[in-house]
Amino acid sequence: MTNIFTPEKTAELSAQIDRQLQELKTPPYSPTKLPETPPGFPVKQSQAIEEVTKEKPERFLHKFGRAAKSDLCEEGGLLNSQWKKWGDLNNQDVVDKFGVLLVMMGFSGAALEILVVAIAVTVIHIGIKAFCEDYSQ
C-alpha cells in the first residue's frame, strides 16, 4: 500500500479522528445542521469539507464515495472487510487509503490532512453501510 503520510503524521491524524469522534459522543454535542447538510452529518466536519473543497459536503462525498467504493463498499475491499469483521475501522488504514484517494482527486498539504480527518469522522459517524448506500453510486 502506498503511504502518503509519514508514520508520525498518520498517528497524529489518527489521534485527531479519535478526538473528533469522541467529541461527537460527548454531551453537549449539538447536532445543529448547516443549511443543506444531510441529517446525521457532523457539523464541524461538514464545515471543514465545504471550506476546503468549496463544494457542499454531500456533493463532495458523492465524488469521494465513488472513488472509495472498491475499498470501502465492495466485498473484499480492505476497509469493507475490517468493518464487517470488527464493526469498526483501523484509523491508520483509513488515513492511508483516504489519503491516497484524496491525492488522486488533487488535494495536498494541509487541505489533504483536514479532508482525511473530516471525511474519516463523517464516514465512521454515519456508518459505512449508510455511506455506501447513499454516496458510492
Side-chain angles (χ1 to χ4, degrees):
M1 177 186 333
T2 303
N3 294 328
I4 300 298
F5 303 108
T6 65
E8 295 79 18
K9 181 55 77 174
T10 299
E12 178 187 322
L13 295 173
S14 177
Q16 285 182 38
I17 292 167
D18 284 338
R19 278 192 301 276
Q20 290 185 25
L21 286 168
Q22 188 59 41
E23 286 174 12
L24 292 172
K25 295 177 186 174
T26 306
Y29 169 66
S30 172
T32 306
K33 279 182 33 166
L34 295 173
E36 299 180 41
T37 300
F41 267 44
V43 174
K44 177 179 176 181
Q45 291 72 23
S46 294
Q47 289 172 328
I49 292 168
E50 189 165 349
E51 286 174 18
V52 172
T53 66
K54 308 297 185 229
E55 294 184 47
K56 295 292 179 200
E58 186 173 24
R59 179 181 162 114
F60 182 78
L61 288 172
H62 275 288
K63 290 179 186 177
F64 181 80
R66 287 190 302 272
K69 187 175 185 172
S70 65
D71 277 325
L72 193 58
C73 303
E74 293 179 355
E75 197 73 35
L78 173 70
L79 298 176
N80 182 280
S81 297
Q82 279 183 13
W83 186 263
K84 284 187 175 181
K85 184 172 183 177
W86 304 107
D88 198 5
L89 296 174
N90 177 301
N91 288 354
Q92 293 183 347
D93 289 338
V94 170
V95 168
D96 288 340
K97 288 287 188 181
F98 286 9
V100 169
L101 294 171
L102 289 165
V103 165
M104 290 172 32
M105 293 175 79
F107 295 95
S108 62
L112 174 64
E113 294 175 15
I114 292 167
L115 279 177
V116 163
V117 172
I119 293 171
V121 170
T122 300
V123 169
I124 294 167
H125 181 70
I126 65 175
I128 287 183
K129 183 177 180 188
F131 180 82
C132 290
E133 287 174 358
D134 292 340
Y135 298 100
S136 67
Q137 312 317 322

